[in-house]
Amino acid sequence: MLLKTNPHPRRKFGTGIPLRIKLGSRNLIYISSPSAILALFRHSKDLTTIPSIVRLLQNTFGAPKSIRMILERDNTGLSQTPIDGSNPLAEKDRYWYNMHRVLHTNLQGTSLEELSSRFIKNLEGELEKLCDGLEGNWFDFPDFSELVRRVCFKASVVALCGPHIFDLLPNFADLFWDFDANIIDLSNGKPRWLIPNGYRARDRYLAAVKKWNLFAKENARDCGDAEWDEFYGSKVMRERAQVLGKIEGFSADMLASQTSAMIWGASGNIIPAISWCLIETLTRPSLLTSVLQEITPSSAADILNISSLLSSPLLQSLFSEVLRLRTSVTVQRTPRSDFQLGSYKIPKGSVMFSSSWHEQRDPTIWNESPTLRSPVPHPLTDFWAERFLIYDDDPYSGPSLPSTTTSPTSKPPYDTTMKPKFTITPVSGSFIPFGGGKKVCPGRFYAKYEAICGMALFLSMYEIELDVKAGEVEMNKKFFFGGVMPSKNKISGRMRRRL
Ligand code: HEM
């Protein structure tokens, strides 16, 4: 509550000073400032996420209590070579090392390409279905975010888990979003008697995932090193299940919770992010014109020119600005032994956390001033698609506070043909939607692909009009500290297939 209502706790309590917060029976230490956060990321070896992930799997994803023993007995770390003095575990029982390896190797390189191209193909199919029989006529929708959720969820889950999940569980999307609506109450550990509907929604979601786990295991055949198979879908899901299945004591209920967390991790944040990318663009006509120019393919054969989309400075900046403004995650770390953070000693076992919401809105770090090409203020509470663009001839541009204190003149000498560069480097430690260090989100490259290419596909296939103006759409703060917050209100509008 303190953090939800206080926009800049750092100003009130001091820069970089760890702040002890008592939350019920929990003692937490709030870490702020880029230097302290970067120190956490640099010291990945001295810090662990075990207590926070055990808590997440139990509270939010309903894992049996005994999962704690399996996750805590493995203090061997994330690297192939176990940490000196750690428990002598067989390699197959090293949960953290095996999961880290499987997640990071299979969400990059050729596996990422396979997953991403399947997502785009599925999304194209889902978008095509929306206008079946309408022959280019306008059709109305009552709730744009719900529409984006519907088409993107199916495209994303089929790419990740294969098509059978929806044959087996035709209402899987409803089960997922009913669960998602309760995620904050569950993660806060509210008891069943207080939120019976939340627990019921989770029970149904877990039961569905357990059924799919079993189905995939029973039907999958040995497919060697294939990037994809129809029963597990992506290689990351197949190898995850294989690794977890070998860990001594890892039960079917534990696997159901772990898989539920994986499916949520791969959809729960990125789908609201795609929605925001579209809402922010569609409500700003000049931005929409610029975005449409970026997404027009160079050849008629391609519906999308993927590599040019992913390297577009404007599209990368737009996506980053959505994450800056709409994400509220905590990044949590616990010291394995007493940990020196600057001049402060953080006791072994404490849970340290930092907040993306506060770091990403800190006016002592971020640039909100006018630039040569956009000579109006850009408050950090507002969306500005170009915030992460830097121009070589403009000392006022870029995401971090300009080093110069004078304001841009009204008739500045700047090169109108100069192309900007996209950058997040000046705000490292302050821009943390994906966490950082060795435990950084393994899905960040896929997330970028889904957001930029997903948005491009919507806009290249449809003309869309929303019944709201720029800046009018509120976030649903019920999801504060839960990731990318969705929009609060229903947004009606109309759309038609581009011919
Ligand atoms: C906008 C989208 C996303 C956001 C904001 C996001 C954010 C995060 C954050 C903050 C973490 C914790 C990092 C840390 O502790 O330093 C994380 C972990 C994780 N994310 Fe993401 N994520 C997104 C998309 C994805 C996608 C698309 C996938 C999968 C395909 C994914 C899979 C995961 C997994 C499996 C973990 C846990 C990794 C571990 O424990 O080692 N995420 N994510």
Side-chain angles (χ1 to χ4, degrees), residues 41 49 53 96 100 103-104 107 115 160 262 265-267 269-270 273 319 323 327 329-333 432-444 446-447 450 483-484:
F41 293 162
T49 55
I53 295 187
W96 301 103
H100 189 77
L103 290 171
H104 285 263
L107 287 167
L115 185 61
L160 191 72
M262 179 70 196
S267 305
N269 286 315
I270 193 59
F319 173 49
L323 293 181
T327 310
V329 289
T330 59
V331 179
Q332 305 191 12
R333 300 290 185 268
I432 51 168
F434 295 117
K438 227 174 163 185
K439 287 295 285 186
V440 66
C441 170
R444 65 201 182 284
Y446 184 41
E450 286 181 287
V484 180

Side-chain angles (χ1 to χ4, degrees), residues 29 51 60 265 410 413 481:
I29 299 180
T60 313
S410 53
F481 282 163

